[in-house]
Amino acid sequence: YMQINYNNTKVDVPTKISLHAFLVDLGCDRAGVAASVNGQVISRTEWLKTPLNEGDSVIVIEIAQGG
């Protein structure tokens, strides 16, 4: 396992996990979710190709609509 920062909380994740797999595990792989790794927004099409590494900072936000 390795440790990453997820929304400013340290969490343990399996080594060699992709951003996509991490988001699936969290249940955050649905429409309306945006993710960044180390301050860089990652497009949904790149989630599978984006590996997470020890110490990475992942921010996940859900885009809300309404008024």
Side-chain angles (χ1 to χ4, degrees), residues 10-22:
K10 291 183 187 235
V11 295
D12 292 322
V13 298
T15 54
K16 299 190 181 200
I17 190 170
S18 69
L19 176 60
H20 179 261
F22 178 66

Side-chain angles (χ1 to χ4, degrees), residues 4-7 9 11-13 17-30 33-35 47 52 58-62:
I4 65 167
N5 293 308
Y6 163 64
N7 288 359
T9 301
V11 295
D12 292 322
V13 298
I17 190 170
S18 69
L19 176 60
H20 179 261
F22 178 66
L23 295 175
V24 167
D25 286 349
L26 292 174
C28 293
D29 60 322
R30 61 193 177 279
V33 171
W47 286 3
L52 296 180
V58 177
I59 303 292
V60 177
I61 59 168
E62 188 163 358

